[in-house]
Amino acid sequence: MARSAASAVHVVSRIAAGVLGSYVFCWGFIALGVGLLYSAGMPFHDAESLSSMLAFLVFLVAFLWAFAAGSLARVWFVLLGGGLAMTGAASLVQWALL
């Protein structure tokens, strides 16, 4: 019984990492992409559209990787940590533009 409860928690955590972690990662990717593309001279709405379109592919790769990776802790660290790092970098880029 304890093994099945641990497996259920592992599966739920893996699903949460795939969905929520990939979402946070893509949020940071879009924010950083818009900031960098806009600072490079691309019009804002074009930068936003391009970043959002690329984010669909990034989400797919991150979601699939969350289930294929061996270490669940590494998945959470990369997806959440990477998402937060990109969001912070985007904040700095956007602050520099203002």
Side-chain angles (χ1 to χ4, degrees):
M1 188 68 154
R3 180 171 166 86
S4 112
S7 294
V9 169
H10 182 78
V11 168
V12 169
S13 182
R14 192 67 80 156
I15 292 169
V19 175
L20 301 175
S22 297
Y23 181 80
V24 169
F25 192 81
C26 285
W27 180 288
F29 177 82
I30 291 170
L32 185 59
V34 169
L36 291 176
L37 290 171
Y38 182 74
S39 68
M42 184 178 278
F44 175 77
H45 293 292
D46 292 342
E48 185 180 31
S49 295
L50 179 61
S51 295
S52 296
M53 286 188 281
L54 290 174
F56 281 111
L57 297 174
V58 170
F59 184 86
L60 175 64
V61 170
F63 181 80
L64 293 175
W65 176 73
F67 291 97
S71 171
L72 182 59
R74 182 177 43 204
V75 169
W76 276 110
F77 178 74
V78 169
L79 292 179
L80 286 181
L84 292 175
M86 285 189 289
T87 303
S91 180
L92 293 175
V93 168
Q94 292 169 6
W95 182 76
L97 289 172
L98 296 176

